Amino acid sequence: MPTFEEAYYKIENKNIEIKDYIDKIHYEKIYCPECLTAPLHIVRKQNVCPYYASNSKQEHLEDCQHYEDYITKKNLNKLIESKNNEDEKRLEFLIDNNLQRAINLLIREETKRNNTVESFISNTTKNQLKASLNEYKYESIPRVSINRLLSKSGEFIDNYIIIWGNANVESKDYDRINSTTGKKFKIRKLIFRVKGNFKFSIQLSENQIKHYKELPQNSMNNGFAVFGLVKSNKGFLELKILTTVHLQYL
Ligand SMILES: [Zn+2]
């Protein structure tokens, strides 16, 4: 049974933390903060901090990370470190599909905002997902919304996760010198901000720059999903990505 620290309160279109929950107001009116679909309720038990829970995984949208079981950190790291071809394929399957599901939720949100009919894209992807599901078992990779990233960063440092949401992405190039060989090289920093506030950055190597497709200039509030390893550099969050394929824009 999935558990939560906050819940989506539909009437005011905002998230409610446990400490702000009031039975009279929120009872039977709160939902999963990710898919906004599965109903949540508060669980109060002796000697345990109260928490939110949904009744079952199946009540979540298929694209929600709570719909399936999670891959364990140990198994995910094993796949990442493995040189075995089958493991590599399974890893790519999991990353691709988890990123796609996050993107699907962004599409859903956007179509809702624009008040249009549900995009056909999400349906197409669902079909693709089903086809490939026959090949490998799907498992959820832990996913955090960029808006919740900083408050949850303690949990995620040194873990591979997916960060997703909407952000302004700034791209800056720097020249660096290899201290051993004296050779010059270039790096590119992608800085992700929400409402002007720094959230995290991604550093691209020279090789990754070649494969990275820049966003159109002045494009604001880009929907994105990215898979990588969370690191803290002097208190700032950095995401180390294995390949630019793991950074997807809407
Ligand atoms: Zn959900």
Side-chain angles (χ1 to χ4, degrees):
M1 187 175 69
T3 65
F4 305 80
E5 289 159 17
E6 34 173 52
Y8 176 66
Y9 178 46
K10 241 177 212 170
I11 293 169
E12 288 183 10
N13 188 28
K14 66 175 191 185
N15 285 355
I16 305 287
E17 285 181 42
I18 293 279
K19 65 174 171 50
D20 300 319
Y21 177 89
I22 300 163
D23 274 317
K24 238 162 127 182
I25 300 175
H26 302 118
Y27 179 70
E28 286 192 337
K29 293 190 180 69
I30 51 169
Y31 298 86
C32 167
E34 184 164 303
C35 66
L36 318 181
T37 302
L40 300 191
H41 56 270
I42 196 159
V43 180
R44 296 187 179 97
K45 281 184 190 160
Q46 238 182 350
N47 303 324
V48 183
C49 287
Y51 57 87
Y52 295 121
S54 60
N55 302 317
S56 73
K57 290 197 193 86
Q58 288 73 35
E59 286 182 357
H60 293 262
L61 286 185
E62 226 177 294
D63 291 322
C64 180
Q65 65 172 317
H66 305 291
Y67 185 78
E68 302 276 356
D69 287 330
Y70 286 98
I71 183 164
T72 61
K73 183 182 174 182
K74 199 177 137 201
N75 285 344
L76 183 59
N77 286 343
K78 236 197 228 166
L79 287 180
I80 290 166
E81 281 153 25
S82 171
K83 298 276 173 265
N84 175 297
N85 193 259
E86 263 309 293
D87 287 348
E88 283 172 4
K89 276 205 270 185
R90 171 155 165 72
L91 178 66
E92 281 319 305
F93 165 86
L94 283 179
I95 296 172
D96 279 358
N97 286 296
N98 272 278
L99 287 173
Q100 189 57 56
R101 289 187 184 203
I103 294 283
N104 285 352
L105 286 178
L106 290 172
I107 293 172
R108 199 183 148 87
E109 239 175 70
E110 202 177 85
T111 38
K112 245 194 209 163
R113 252 202 315 271
N114 298 338
N115 219 359
T116 49
V117 196
E118 265 226 12
S119 161
F120 72 96
I121 305 172
S122 52
N123 288 331
T124 331
T125 349
K126 253 179 209 155
N127 292 337
Q128 282 165 356
L129 275 179
K130 269 181 194 137
S132 41
L133 269 174
N134 297 332
E135 211 178 322
Y136 296 104
K137 183 179 162 241
Y138 181 88
E139 285 172 305
S140 282
I141 294 173
R143 192 191 293 170
V144 64
S145 145
I146 185 164
N147 299 318
R148 302 259 301 132
L149 181 63
L150 297 190
S151 61
K152 308 267 283 178
S153 64
E155 270 175 52
F156 291 127
I157 286 170
D158 293 323
N159 283 268
Y160 280 95
I161 60 164
I162 285 172
I163 303 174
W164 71 296
N166 289 287
N168 294 340
V169 187
E170 188 191 347
S171 162
K172 274 187 184 170
D173 285 354
Y174 299 88
D175 289 318
R176 294 279 154 88
I177 295 170
N178 184 314
S179 54
T180 346
T181 62
K183 227 181 119 189
K184 266 194 185 168
F185 64 96
K186 200 178 252 181
I187 59 154
R188 182 169 297 169
K189 257 194 180 183
L190 306 176
I191 299 152
F192 288 71
R193 289 196 179 90
V194 176
K195 293 182 185 138
N197 298 319
F198 174 92
K199 296 293 178 184
F200 73 100
S201 67
I202 295 174
Q203 187 172 309
L204 302 179
S205 66
E206 235 167 6
N207 191 40
Q208 287 175 335
I209 293 172
K210 282 182 215 153
H211 296 100
Y212 175 68
K213 200 168 159 268
E214 279 288 337
L215 286 164
Q217 263 193 338
N218 303 324
S219 61
M220 305 282 277
N221 217 21
N222 298 288
F224 74 94
V226 57
F227 172 81
L229 179 65
V230 183
K231 287 282 177 189
S232 168
N233 184 358
K234 295 174 192 141
F236 292 101
L237 286 189
E238 277 185 6
L239 192 75
K240 299 215 174 295
I241 58 172
L242 303 168
T243 143
T244 52
V245 175
H246 296 165
L247 169 56
Q248 294 187 8
Y249 292 114
L250 189 65

